[in-house]
Amino acid sequence: MSKIEDGGSKKSLVKVKSKVETAVEAKSRPVRSVKKERVVAVSPMNNNRRLRNKSNILNERDERPGGIIKDKSQVHSMAKTQPTSERPTQDEKQPVALSKKNSEIQAALEIQNRLAKKLTRNSERRRKLAHTMETTAQNRTQERIDFVDFANRHYTDMQGGVHKMKYTKEEYENVIYEAQTIFASEKALVDIDPPCIVVGDLHGQYNDLINIFILLGRPPETVYVFTGDYVDRGMMSLECIMLLFTYKICYPENIVLLRGNHEIARVNKKYGFYEECLQSIPKYGEEIWAMFQRCFNNLPISALIATKILCMHGGLSPSLITLDDLRNHPKPIRNPFRGIVNDMLWADPDPSVFEWKTSARGSGFIFGTNVIDDVCTRLGVELIIRAHQMCFDGYWVVSGKKLITIFSAPMYCNLYKNAGCVLKIDETLCVQMVAFVPESAKVEQVIEEKNRVWDACFDNID
């Protein structure tokens, strides 16, 4: 504001001085003075420039067609030669400048106020939405579902073979939503205190899951760590995942559900779970399948038992430098296809490999025993427990006893006479293997002869 007033006062002094000099020259040199003033005032070119200069005296370019560029000194000199009566005075120009300035400020303030109100409304909407997500579903499920009774329902009608349970859409929605809320609160690396039982692949073999709970104890009396692959291959994936999710809702500290490579949308859409959802839930099967995928995206990746036993589904990753790389990994993890999470869902050990090798599965790596030794030393762990591969005797120990592969689905897909196995870990970190051997002729002989990891087929990624 001070600049405008100072500039105006300076111009006003110039105007007065110019007026006095013009009057004196009119008496002493009337011809030359009148001639000079007449050229400036009468010329159409100068008159147009004078009108344009009223709006903006400091324009450096005359933007009319054929206009010329002139510097500021020429513009000021032209303004001085204009008749005083035709030039706007300081009092006339200042209110125009002030009103223009005030209008700009007022417009800016209005925009700022509108933005502030919009941000306030958005923040309030987000707060209400977050509060609703935390409380509404819980209230609904408490009114509609008794989760303990819902879990017990799975034991009342036991029979051999495939026997599908009937769930309502509300039961699917509430169980999935409540489980997802709990999984979202867990880190990608979960810390566990022994004693506990570590379980390998299930692949929809619901009757074998029930046998594990009946023979070894149900939550919360027994703490379980499941290493993934709950769905696909078998015919009762929905029953497996619904029972496990229900136990997670009832006893979140007594059961840990890790993510397997079949808890990825592109995999379980190919290997059976998607088709099971469509057949078992005809009207809204695809919707329920999509809800399961959003829940799977929040599953933790690994578990650490007493800081000494590291569990995951697949194996190790060259990107795994410290445990904090896992513990601080952001979730949800949507459709991983490379990096530390993808590697730990897909990798396999192979004693014949030195360091790392590209996996034939099309994702992840194959790693050797030297990698196992290096990781155990660097991370300060003594044992790595994984799943991901079918073992004919239910388990497979890599030389050096620093890595154990377990598989918990006996008679896999009713095609192989393999045993299932889980690991019991006590308070002193003593590991005991519990095998589930199918009743079949010469099954023990078959297991002894094929005491190896099954590698005839892979879960391939297109």
Side-chain angles (χ1 to χ4, degrees):
M1 194 67 181
S2 60
K3 292 182 179 180
I4 295 176
E5 294 177 354
D6 293 341
S9 61
K10 183 175 181 180
K11 290 179 182 178
S12 62
L13 291 176
V14 173
K15 292 175 185 177
V16 172
K17 184 176 180 180
S18 176
K19 184 177 181 181
V20 172
E21 290 178 351
T22 303
V24 173
E25 290 176 357
K27 295 180 181 180
S28 59
R29 297 188 303 275
V31 177
R32 296 181 59 185
S33 176
V34 172
K35 183 178 180 181
K36 180 179 180 181
E37 192 168 337
R38 183 179 298 124
V39 171
V40 175
V42 175
S43 173
M45 178 71 71
N46 289 339
N47 189 38
N48 290 334
R49 291 179 181 175
R50 173 172 50 80
L51 294 175
R52 185 177 298 275
N53 288 333
K54 285 185 180 181
S55 61
N56 189 357
I57 289 179
L58 297 182
N59 277 341
E60 296 184 7
R61 180 181 180 88
D62 189 350
E63 297 181 354
R64 291 178 293 105
I68 59 173
I69 301 176
K70 49 185 175 294
D71 58 19
K72 296 179 182 180
S73 61
Q74 291 176 334
V75 177
H76 282 295
S77 63
M78 182 182 296
K80 293 179 184 180
T81 59
Q82 295 176 9
T84 306
S85 59
E86 297 182 6
R87 295 198 306 269
T89 62
Q90 178 185 359
D91 295 336
E92 293 175 351
K93 286 185 63 180
Q94 186 173 353
V96 175
L98 287 176
S99 61
K100 183 178 180 181
K101 187 74 173 180
N102 290 338
S103 62
E104 293 176 354
I105 294 174
Q106 186 66 24
L109 290 175
E110 290 178 358
I111 294 173
Q112 185 176 1
N113 291 335
R114 286 199 301 269
L115 290 175
K117 291 179 181 179
K118 186 175 181 180
L119 290 175
T120 303
R121 288 195 303 268
N122 290 341
S123 61
E124 182 67 18
R125 190 181 298 112
R126 286 193 297 268
R127 187 188 64 80
K128 290 181 179 180
L129 180 61
H131 180 71
T132 302
M133 293 175 63
E134 292 175 358
T135 60
T136 303
Q138 182 178 1
N139 295 336
R140 286 171 49 204
T141 54
Q142 287 177 354
E143 293 176 2
R144 299 182 181 182
I145 297 178
D146 182 346
F147 285 113
V148 176
D149 180 68
F150 182 76
N152 292 335
R153 276 172 47 191
H154 293 75
Y155 299 88
T156 57
D157 187 21
M158 290 300 303
Q159 53 184 295
V162 178
H163 54 285
K164 302 296 292 182
M165 295 192 65
K166 301 297 183 180
Y167 303 111
T168 65
K169 183 179 181 182
E170 289 74 16
E171 288 173 338
Y172 279 116
E173 291 176 344
N174 288 290
V175 169
I176 294 172
Y177 187 91
E178 288 295 327
Q180 180 177 340
T181 303
I182 297 173
F183 293 138
S185 66
E186 295 180 331
K187 293 183 177 295
L189 174 64
V190 181
D191 293 287
I192 303 294
D193 294 326
C196 62
I197 296 177
V198 184
V199 184
D201 294 26
L202 294 173
H203 281 298
Q205 297 189 196
Y206 173 69
N207 291 337
D208 296 308
L209 173 62
I210 292 296
N211 288 336
I212 291 174
F213 286 141
I214 291 176
L215 296 175
L216 301 180
R218 309 181 194 179
E221 288 78 13
T222 305
V223 178
Y224 284 92
V225 178
F226 289 84
T227 56
D229 277 10
Y230 316 105
V231 300
D232 284 344
R233 307 287 191 187
M235 300 299 293
M236 301 183 71
S237 297
L238 283 171
E239 286 73 15
C240 285
I241 200 65
M242 287 292 283
L243 178 58
L244 292 174
F245 277 9
T246 304
Y247 275 139
K248 184 65 177 180
I249 296 168
C250 296
Y251 318 107
E253 301 297 328
N254 297 83
I255 182 171
V256 175
L257 301 179
L258 302 183
R259 190 176 189 178
N261 66 309
H262 281 263
E263 281 70 59
I264 298 177
R266 70 177 187 270
V267 179
N268 62 57
K269 192 170 186 178
K270 176 182 178 181
Y271 287 100
F273 184 55
Y274 178 73
E275 294 297 329
E276 183 179 340
C277 289
L278 296 184
Q279 295 175 6
S280 301
I281 322 166
K283 294 183 180 180
Y284 41 84
E286 190 168 5
E287 177 185 350
I288 298 301
W289 176 83
M291 292 178 63
F292 273 116
Q293 305 316 308
R294 289 191 289 270
C295 188
F296 292 159
N297 291 337
N298 287 278
L299 287 171
I301 305 302
S302 59
L304 186 63
I305 303 173
T307 71
K308 294 299 180 181
I309 301 176
L310 182 63
C311 304
M312 78 286 291
H313 176 73
L316 302 176
S317 169
S319 302
L320 178 61
I321 307 302
T322 66
L323 291 176
D324 288 336
D325 295 333
L326 277 173
R327 188 174 284 110
N328 300 327
H329 197 285
K331 293 193 309 176
I333 306 169
R334 298 178 179 86
N335 203 25
F337 63 94
R338 64 182 176 184
I340 184 172
V341 172
N342 182 74
D343 296 341
M344 296 187 72
L345 298 182
W346 287 94
D348 296 301
D350 188 345
S352 64
V353 173
F354 181 77
E355 292 290 340
W356 301 94
K357 180 182 176 181
T358 303
S359 175
R361 295 178 183 269
S363 188
F365 295 90
I366 295 175
F367 54 94
T369 54
N370 56 328
V371 174
I372 299 173
D373 295 337
D374 176 67
V375 169
C376 289
T377 302
R378 186 172 68 252
L379 301 183
V381 300
E382 299 178 2
L383 177 64
I384 297 172
I385 300 177
R386 64 179 293 271
H388 196 39
Q389 290 176 292
M390 195 274 282
C391 310
F392 277 95
D393 55 350
Y395 69 93
W396 181 57
V397 182
V398 176
S399 58
K401 297 182 179 180
K402 291 185 178 181
L403 185 144
I404 301 177
T405 299
I406 58 174
F407 194 79
S408 303
M411 292 290 290
Y412 184 42
C413 298
N414 290 326
L415 296 176
Y416 303 92
K417 295 180 180 180
N418 65 289
C421 180
V422 300
L423 301 181
K424 293 183 68 175
I425 302 174
D426 62 15
E427 295 86 347
T428 62
L429 299 184
C430 179
V431 179
Q432 179 185 3
M433 299 174 183
V434 181
F436 296 86
V437 181
E439 295 182 1
S440 178
K442 298 182 180 180
V443 66
E444 294 184 3
Q445 180 181 351
V446 172
I447 290 174
E448 290 178 359
E449 292 176 355
K450 298 181 179 181
N451 186 9
R452 61 179 175 84
V453 174
W454 176 61
D455 57 358
C457 181
F458 295 105
D459 297 328
N460 294 317
I461 292 298
D462 296 332

